Amino acid sequence: LDESSARSASVYQLVTDRFARNSSVTSTCTASERKYCGGTWSAISDKLDYIQGMGFDTVWISPVVSNIGGTTGEGEAYHGYWTLDPNTLNSNYGSADDLKTLSTNLHSKGMYLMVDVVINHVAATSSSTFQPDSAYGPFSTSDDYHPFCWITDYTNQTQVEDCWLGDSSVALPDLNTDSTTVSSYWNNWIQELVSNYTLDAIRIDTVKHVPKTFWPNFVSSANVFNQGEVLNGDATYVGAYQSDGKVNPFNYPAYYPLTRAFNQTSGDLSELIAMTQTIKSSFSDPTLLGNFLNNHDNARFESTVTDASLIKNAHAYPFVTDGIPYGYYGSEAGFTGGNDPDNREPLWTSNYDTTSNMYKFFTSLNMARKAAGNASTSFYTSQMNVSSLSSSSILINKTPLISVLSNSGSSASDASVTIPSSSSGWSANVAIVDSLSCEVLTTDGSGNLAVTVKTGLPRVFIQNSIKGQVCTGSAA
Ligand code: ABC
Ligand code: CA
C-alpha cells in the first residue's frame, strides 16, 4: 500500500497469540495470566473470510520477531513486543513459510498485511546490570544501547528518547538509534522484512521514543504505508511526527475526547468538535491518521460503558471521519476486557460468530465508507466538517457520507434534528438511506433532511442513488 491507496483501507487489528489457534489446541486461555495461548499465523490464514466478511481489507498482526523466552514478573512475551533477536522469527506463531502463506492468502483475497515493528528497544529481565550478548543478534554490544536510566518524566523529551521503558520485572533496553550501526541495521532490516514477506504496510511502535530525525530514512526504506504510535493526546506534539518524521500517527489526540464524548449520556461533545478543528491545524494531512476506539493498550470502551447505543456511536466515529479506520478484534464479539492484559481475550471463545449484531454493525460501517469512496473520488482526501446539531448530537459531514452521532443513550425518547441542505449539499426531494438501519428518508422541498434519532442510535447517511452495495444484504 502506498499513501494514496492506504486512505481507502480499513484495518482489523488482532493480537496474533489470541485471535485464532489450531482447533486441536484446547488449553484454557486466561488473559490475566499473561501466557502464550497458542495463536498462530496459519490459524489467521484460516479465518480471513471472517475478517473480510466484516468489510475489513487489511490485517494488522503483532510483532513477528523472536522474543525473550520463559516467564517474567509480567508473564510471557505472548504479545510479541519483547524483542530478543530481530533477525529471527517468533516460533510460537509459526514458521517463515506460515507467515509467507498468510501474506499470499491475504493477497489472493485482495487483502493486505500490516506488521507491527518495534525499533526503540529490545527486552531483558535485568536493567542496571543488563549486558547484551550474541542472543541479541545484531545488538550484542553495549555501544548499541543508551546507558541505563528509567523514563520517569514523560514531559522531558530527552528522557523519553534516551532512557528506558519498562520496569524492574521487564526492562526495555533502549537502542542507540543515533549510532549509524544501529540505524543502518534497521533501515536494511525493514527493507528485507517488507520484501521477504511481501508486506503492504507497517505499524510502528513507540515512535516518540526515537528521535524524529531517525524516521524519514526508515519509512522510505520500508517503502510501504506506515501508521505509527505516538502515545500522546496533544495534537501539536503528535503532528510534528507527521510533518518532520514522515510517520502517520494513530489519532490519540481524538481518542481521548472521543471516549469522553460517548462514555456517558452527559458526555462532552463540544470537546470532540473542538479537537477536530485542532487536528486540522496540527497535522500536515489528517486524512492519513489512524482512527481507533479500542486497541491492545487501553481498556476496551465496553469495559466501562454498557449502553448499546453509546457503544455504537463511539465505534462509528473512526469510520465516518478523516483518516483510516481501525477495528480491534473482539469488538465485534462484544468483549469487555479492561486494561492490559485483560483487553487481550482469546477470540475463539466467541466461535467467530458472523451473525452477531456488532459483527453486522462493523460490516455496515465498512460498506458505507466504501460506497462513499466509490461514489466520490475526493471522499478520502477531502476534510470533514463537524458541528453541533443539538445538545446530544453532532453532524459529521464528510461528503458524500453524512453522519449524525448522539450520546443520548438507548433509553432516550425520539429526538428530531435537521440536516440543512446548506451543509449536506442534498437537493430537494431526494432519497437518503441510513446505512445502519437501512431506513430511507427523503429531503424536503428545500433539500433539508428531517431526522429522528431513535433510541440514541447513530445514523450514517448516503444518497440512495449512490449507495452501491449498502443495504443490499451482500457483504464485502
Ligand atoms: C507490561 C504488562 C502490563 C503492565 C505494564 C506496566 O507492563 O504486560 O500488564 O501494566 C508491551 C506489552 C505490554 C507490556 C509492555 C511493557 O510491553 O504489550 O503488555 O506491559 O513491558 C507500545 C505498545 C505496547 C507495548 C510497548 C512496548 C509499547 O503499543 O503494547 O507494550 O513495546 C508508553 C509508550 C507507548 C507504549 C505504552 C505501553 O507505554 O509511550 O509507546 N505502547 C502516558 C505516556 C505514554 C505512555 C503511557 C502508558 O502513559 O505519555 O508515553 O505510553 O500508559 C494522555 C496523555 C499521554 C499519557 C496518557 C496515559 O494520557 O496525553 O501522554 O500517556 O492524556
Ligand atoms: Ca529511545
Side-chain angles (χ1 to χ4, degrees):
L1 290 171
D2 59 15
E3 288 196 344
S4 70
S5 45
R7 285 196 188 83
S8 59
S10 182
V11 186
Y12 185 79
Q13 179 196 357
L14 59 81
V15 172
T16 302
D17 184 59
R18 303 296 163 81
F19 173 72
R21 63 183 182 182
N22 188 301
S23 55
S24 65
V25 186
T26 55
S27 51
T28 303
C29 177
T30 308
S32 62
E33 289 180 356
R34 301 172 164 143
K35 289 182 180 159
Y36 279 104
C37 287
T40 62
W41 295 315
S42 65
I44 302 172
S45 274
D46 293 339
K47 289 280 179 286
L48 299 184
D49 286 345
Y50 174 82
I51 299 171
Q52 192 172 42
M54 239 182 305
F56 293 103
D57 61 11
T58 303
V59 182
W60 158 14
I61 63 172
S62 305
V64 298
V65 302
S66 71
N67 273 220
I68 58 169
T71 194
T72 73
E74 281 152 12
E76 299 174 350
Y78 71 90
H79 42 68
Y81 290 95
W82 292 346
T83 303
L84 179 62
D85 179 0
N87 281 336
T88 60
L89 293 178
N90 188 332
S91 58
N92 291 281
Y93 305 149
S95 66
D97 279 347
D98 295 339
L99 184 53
K100 284 179 188 163
T101 303
L102 172 59
S103 181
T104 306
N105 288 345
L106 281 161
H107 296 153
S108 66
K109 296 175 76 70
M111 297 173 77
Y112 305 102
L113 179 58
M114 170 184 270
V115 165
D116 205 324
V117 298
V118 184
I119 299 312
N120 178 62
H121 52 260
V122 296
T125 50
S126 58
S127 44
S128 58
T129 60
F130 172 67
Q131 286 295 340
D133 59 23
S134 60
Y136 286 90
F139 305 126
S140 57
T141 69
S142 7
D143 293 348
D144 298 326
Y145 298 86
H146 287 132
F148 167 72
C149 52
W150 293 124
I151 299 172
T152 53
D153 176 6
Y154 280 96
T155 65
N156 178 336
Q157 187 62 24
T158 307
Q159 259 194 36
V160 165
E161 291 178 4
D162 294 349
C163 291
W164 296 18
L165 285 162
D167 54 34
S168 56
S169 294
V170 180
L172 304 179
D174 200 72
L175 288 163
N176 178 11
T177 48
D178 292 324
S179 141
T180 48
T181 325
V182 173
S183 61
S184 314
Y185 170 81
W186 278 134
N187 292 338
N188 288 326
W189 175 85
I190 193 63
Q191 200 175 354
E192 286 177 16
L193 190 79
V194 166
S195 129
N196 287 345
Y197 301 102
T198 326
L199 307 185
D200 304 290
I202 55 172
R203 180 268 184 186
I204 311 177
D205 190 62
T206 36
V207 168
K208 73 178 194 185
H209 298 282
V210 175
K212 285 184 198 79
T213 49
F214 171 87
W215 295 116
N217 285 333
F218 181 81
V219 303
S220 72
S221 303
N223 201 26
V224 288
F225 178 70
N226 77 78
Q227 201 89 69
E229 181 216 21
V230 183
L231 208 172
N232 194 297
D234 180 341
T236 307
Y237 179 89
V238 179
Y241 286 86
Q242 189 178 49
S243 52
D244 304 346
K246 309 298 172 203
V247 170
N248 299 301
F250 282 95
N251 204 343
Y252 266 104
Y255 168 71
Y256 297 106
L258 168 62
T259 58
R260 289 191 284 263
F262 296 106
N263 66 2
Q264 51 182 323
T265 51
S266 55
D268 189 352
L269 294 172
S270 60
E271 188 200 3
L272 179 59
I273 296 173
M275 180 52 81
T276 63
Q277 281 303 122
T278 305
I279 285 170
K280 287 181 191 218
S281 56
S282 307
F283 287 92
S284 47
D285 191 349
T287 68
L288 288 169
L289 289 170
N291 294 304
F292 63 96
L293 177 68
N294 287 333
N295 67 21
H296 63 308
D297 287 333
N298 297 285
R300 290 183 185 272
F301 187 75
E302 295 88 338
S303 69
T304 53
V305 181
T306 54
D307 184 284
S309 292
L310 289 176
I311 289 170
K312 283 185 171 170
N313 279 279
H315 271 303
Y317 184 83
F319 293 82
V320 299
T321 54
D322 293 343
I324 297 152
Y326 283 71
Y328 181 52
Y329 89 101
S331 299
E332 73 278 17
F335 284 0
T336 59
N339 285 314
D340 167 15
D342 299 330
N343 55 1
R344 300 161 180 195
E345 307 94 321
L347 190 61
W348 42 90
T349 60
S350 76
N351 295 318
Y352 306 97
D353 183 6
T354 58
T355 65
S356 75
N357 186 271
M358 286 308 285
Y359 184 97
K360 291 181 187 159
F361 181 70
F362 286 108
T363 310
S364 300
L365 288 170
N366 275 316
M367 288 176 67
R369 195 174 169 82
K370 189 159 289 174
N374 287 342
S376 162
T377 49
S378 61
F379 172 70
Y380 295 116
T381 50
S382 57
Q383 295 184 25
M384 64 180 175
N385 282 303
V386 184
S387 56
S388 174
L389 266 188
S390 76
S391 62
S392 58
S393 61
I394 59 172
L395 180 68
I396 303 179
N397 184 345
K398 187 166 173 65
T399 306
L401 202 63
I402 300 192
S403 308
V404 176
L405 301 187
S406 306
N407 66 2
S408 48
S410 53
S411 11
S413 41
D414 288 2
S416 302
V417 292
T418 303
I419 301 176
S421 172
S422 56
S423 63
S424 69
W426 290 326
S427 331
N429 310 312
V430 293
I432 308 293
V433 62
D434 172 9
S435 314
L436 302 177
S437 67
C438 296
E439 184 184 0
V440 179
L441 305 176
T442 307
T443 58
D444 68 14
S446 311
N448 300 325
L449 189 73
V451 175
T452 306
V453 174
K454 297 166 191 161
T455 62
L457 285 168
R459 303 284 227 152
V460 176
F461 293 111
I462 188 162
Q463 197 169 320
N464 208 43
S465 57
I466 58 168
K467 75 180 176 69
Q469 298 300 300
V470 164
C471 292
T472 55
S474 71

